[in-house]
Every structure is written in structure tokens, then in C-alpha cells.
Amino acid sequence: ALWCLRMSLTPTRGCLLDLPWEDILLPHILCHLPLQQLLSLQRVSKSFQSLIQLYLANMRCFDSSQIRPAIPRAAFVNLLKDNKVLQQLALQNCSDWLTDCELLPVIEQNHHLHQIQLKGCAQLSRYALVSISQSCPNLRQLSLAHCDWVDSLSLRSLADHCKALEAVDLTACRQLKDEAICYLVQKCSRLKSLSLAVNANVGDVAVEETAKCCPELEHLDLTGCLRVKNDSIRVLAEYCPKLRSLKVKHCHNVAESSLSVLRSRGVELDVEPPLQRALVLLQDVVGFAPFINLQI
């Protein structure tokens, strides 16, 4: 910011603002600056303020984590009020201030969004997800982790309108049951990544339907899904040849008998084989590990 100020005030060296804004400054210079610095540039002069406002109106990606301290509600509304070309929107953990009133206008005027991150945005309602589904037909990635307001009706709306989804994070969306997950995967068969973690209502029915409907599935997170059992893991192994990682930690009804097939295929699992777990435990308890060959 100081360099730009010097450039703008030093006639012998020319002025940064003399460069073509839309051809040079926006696509080749400002895009490389952190959002926090861009906002600071607005205070340099009225010309810089106009330049940054033009940049914000043409910004393709907005990430609230780039602004420190946390962005105020009024600032968020002002920053995106003229933008209609957003492709990526990340508003994770904005629960202190983000409500439908602030989010819906942004969603409804940006139909090119393909990636939305709303992790931990607890003050939104089901209408936010309905708005996303109706306004963002090209949506590919959506994170709704720890959003208790997500219910089966709003998820059905998402499934009906956003069939190109490839990654969905429903971690700790505790209102959702097997039926809602089944509807989602039946409509969105292109899914490559799905998280159903920390959901006590999700069981074998949802996992088996996911396996049968989503042959492109690569990553599945079932951490803490206590109702998931061995049978659905076997179905997953049968129907998902592209699976690369599976998380089943704290799934107490999933045993090595069902995981061994996936393990033999090189699928990354977050639980160790029983023998290795036993040896590690032995090391922790009695310190015998140096005398044990872990490769046996």
C-alpha cells in the first residue's frame, strides 16, 4: 500500500493509476494482493477507492478468512453489493453475524457460483440452502458442516436443482436421516466426495445407497456414524472401485473383516489394522516395542 501511495504521488515516476484498470491493474496486479491489503488501499485516495470498488465488483473469489479481524456485517454487505460474477464464496465460521438477510442477496445475484463454504454458519436457516439450490445450477462443491439448520426438505431442493455436485460436506447436520441422504445421492450421482460424519441418524441404508448411486466416489467420511455396520462397508467396496479414502473412526460396529478388502486395494483408512493397534498399545503400556518386529 505504501509503494502504491508513493507511485501515485510521485510525478516523475508516473502514477500506478495511469495504467489501464481493466486490462492491467485488475487481472494482473490487484488479483495477487491479499483482500485485507486491497481494502486498506481504499483509504489512499478517492481514485484508489474507485479502483478497489471496481475490483470488488469483478471479483471471482471471496474468502472471509482473508480479512482480519473478522469482517463486520455492514462491511460484507458493502463489499459484495455490486458483484454478480462470483464463482467461489467462503464464509466459514461467520456465525457471529451472518444471517439470511446478508447471504441471500449475494446468492441470488451470483448465478455462476460453483463453490460455497458455509462451515459453522449457525444463524442461517433452511431458506439459505433453498436459495443456493435455486440460484446456483453450476454448483460443484458445498460445505454445510456444523449447520444444524439443514433439514431434509432443503436438502431435497439442493438435490433437485444441483445435479452436478461433486463434493458435499454434511458433517454434524444432525437433522438429516438416511432418507434424505438417499435422495441426495440418487439425484447427484457425480459425487466424488461426501462427508456424513458425526451424524448418529445415518446408517447402513444411506451408505449402501451412496455406494450404488455414486460410482465415481473417491472420499467418504463416516466418522462417528454409530449406526454404520460391516454390511454397508462391504457394499461400498463392491460398488466404488475409485474409492481412495474412507474414515470410519468411532464407528464401533465396523470391523476389520469388512475393511480388509479396502485396505488390500490401497484405500486410505483412518483406523489401523488390529495387530498394529495392539502393538502400539503394548508399546505405550510396557515399552516392549523395540523388541517387536512390526512387519510380522
Side-chain angles (χ1 to χ4, degrees), residues 145 167-172 181 193-198 219-223:
V168 180
D169 188 348
L170 299 173
T171 298
I181 304 302
S193 178
L194 177 64
S195 176
L196 304 173
V198 198
H219 306 283
L220 180 61
D221 190 347
L222 301 173
T223 303

Side-chain angles (χ1 to χ4, degrees), residues 118-247:
L118 296 175
K119 179 180 178 181
C121 294
Q123 293 193 52
L124 299 174
S125 76
R126 60 184 302 272
Y127 298 107
L129 186 53
V130 172
S131 178
I132 289 172
S133 64
Q134 295 177 348
S135 303
C136 308
N138 300 314
L139 195 62
R140 298 290 188 276
Q141 300 179 33
L142 176 63
S143 175
L144 299 169
H146 302 281
C147 293
D148 285 336
W149 46 267
V150 177
D151 60 11
S152 58
L153 289 177
S154 57
L155 193 69
R156 288 174 71 94
S157 177
L158 178 73
D160 286 335
H161 295 91
C162 300
K163 295 183 174 64
L165 278 167
E166 296 179 355
V168 180
D169 188 348
L170 299 173
T171 298
C173 292
R174 297 182 176 88
Q175 290 195 56
L176 300 179
K177 299 181 180 180
D178 282 347
E179 293 78 10
I181 304 302
C182 289
Y183 192 87
L184 173 69
V185 298
Q186 288 166 3
K187 296 288 186 176
C188 302
S189 58
R190 301 181 189 177
L191 281 175
K192 296 181 180 180
S193 178
L194 177 64
S195 176
L196 304 173
V198 198
N199 194 329
N201 295 318
V202 170
D204 284 345
V205 173
V207 176
E208 291 180 12
E209 193 68 14
T210 298
K212 294 175 181 178
C213 294
C214 303
E216 302 296 316
L217 192 67
E218 297 179 2
H219 306 283
L220 180 61
D221 190 347
L222 301 173
T223 303
C225 294
L226 303 179
R227 295 176 57 226
V228 173
K229 302 177 182 178
N230 284 324
D231 289 344
S232 61
I233 301 302
R234 294 191 182 98
V235 173
L236 192 67
E238 179 181 356
Y239 283 89
C240 296
K242 297 184 179 181
L243 193 67
R244 295 168 51 192
S245 70
L246 173 66
K247 295 183 178 181

Side-chain angles (χ1 to χ4, degrees), residues 1-265:
L2 292 175
W3 176 82
C4 293
L5 179 58
R6 292 193 193 101
M7 287 287 290
S8 64
L9 298 177
T10 308
T12 58
R13 298 185 61 185
C15 179
L16 178 69
L17 296 174
D18 290 339
L19 295 172
W21 287 16
E22 297 188 13
D23 294 332
I24 301 296
L25 293 182
L26 297 185
H28 299 294
I29 297 180
L30 296 189
C31 64
H32 297 292
L33 296 177
L35 187 57
Q36 184 71 55
Q37 292 186 11
L38 290 174
L39 298 181
S40 298
L41 276 177
Q42 291 187 103
R43 298 193 292 268
V44 172
S45 68
K46 290 185 178 180
S47 295
F48 270 110
Q49 183 180 20
S50 298
L51 173 63
I52 301 306
Q53 288 177 346
L54 180 62
Y55 174 82
L56 293 172
N58 289 276
M59 187 168 48
R60 299 295 196 273
C61 176
F62 181 85
D63 186 347
S64 61
S65 66
Q66 294 183 8
I67 303 177
R68 294 286 186 247
I71 179 174
R73 175 187 285 110
F76 171 77
V77 173
N78 184 62
L79 289 176
L80 296 180
K81 61 183 175 60
D82 297 322
N83 192 303
K84 299 180 180 180
V85 294
L86 273 180
Q87 297 180 1
Q88 301 178 38
L89 178 63
L91 298 171
Q92 60 271 28
N93 298 317
C94 294
S95 58
D96 292 341
W97 58 269
L98 185 66
T99 68
D100 290 358
C101 292
E102 292 79 38
L103 180 64
L104 264 59
V106 175
I107 296 296
E108 291 169 358
Q109 69 186 24
N110 282 281
H111 304 294
H112 302 288
L113 279 165
H114 60 74
Q115 182 175 334
I116 299 177
Q117 164 69 268
L118 296 175
K119 179 180 178 181
C121 294
Q123 293 193 52
L124 299 174
S125 76
R126 60 184 302 272
Y127 298 107
L129 186 53
V130 172
S131 178
I132 289 172
S133 64
Q134 295 177 348
S135 303
C136 308
N138 300 314
L139 195 62
R140 298 290 188 276
Q141 300 179 33
L142 176 63
S143 175
L144 299 169
H146 302 281
C147 293
D148 285 336
W149 46 267
V150 177
D151 60 11
S152 58
L153 289 177
S154 57
L155 193 69
R156 288 174 71 94
S157 177
L158 178 73
D160 286 335
H161 295 91
C162 300
K163 295 183 174 64
L165 278 167
E166 296 179 355
V168 180
D169 188 348
L170 299 173
T171 298
C173 292
R174 297 182 176 88
Q175 290 195 56
L176 300 179
K177 299 181 180 180
D178 282 347
E179 293 78 10
I181 304 302
C182 289
Y183 192 87
L184 173 69
V185 298
Q186 288 166 3
K187 296 288 186 176
C188 302
S189 58
R190 301 181 189 177
L191 281 175
K192 296 181 180 180
S193 178
L194 177 64
S195 176
L196 304 173
V198 198
N199 194 329
N201 295 318
V202 170
D204 284 345
V205 173
V207 176
E208 291 180 12
E209 193 68 14
T210 298
K212 294 175 181 178
C213 294
C214 303
E216 302 296 316
L217 192 67
E218 297 179 2
H219 306 283
L220 180 61
D221 190 347
L222 301 173
T223 303
C225 294
L226 303 179
R227 295 176 57 226
V228 173
K229 302 177 182 178
N230 284 324
D231 289 344
S232 61
I233 301 302
R234 294 191 182 98
V235 173
L236 192 67
E238 179 181 356
Y239 283 89
C240 296
K242 297 184 179 181
L243 193 67
R244 295 168 51 192
S245 70
L246 173 66
K247 295 183 178 181
V248 289
K249 188 172 289 185
H250 307 302
C251 295
H252 304 304
N253 294 314
V254 175
E256 184 64 22
S257 58
S258 62
L259 295 174
S260 58
V261 176
L262 293 170
R263 203 184 297 279
S264 65
R265 280 173 24 193

Side-chain angles (χ1 to χ4, degrees), residues 267-288:
V267 175
E268 180 183 346
L269 303 174
D270 63 341
V271 293
E272 298 173 340
L275 177 59
Q276 187 171 348
R277 288 204 301 272
L279 294 176
V280 171
L281 180 61
L282 186 61
Q283 177 186 2
D284 293 340
V285 175
V286 295
F288 284 168

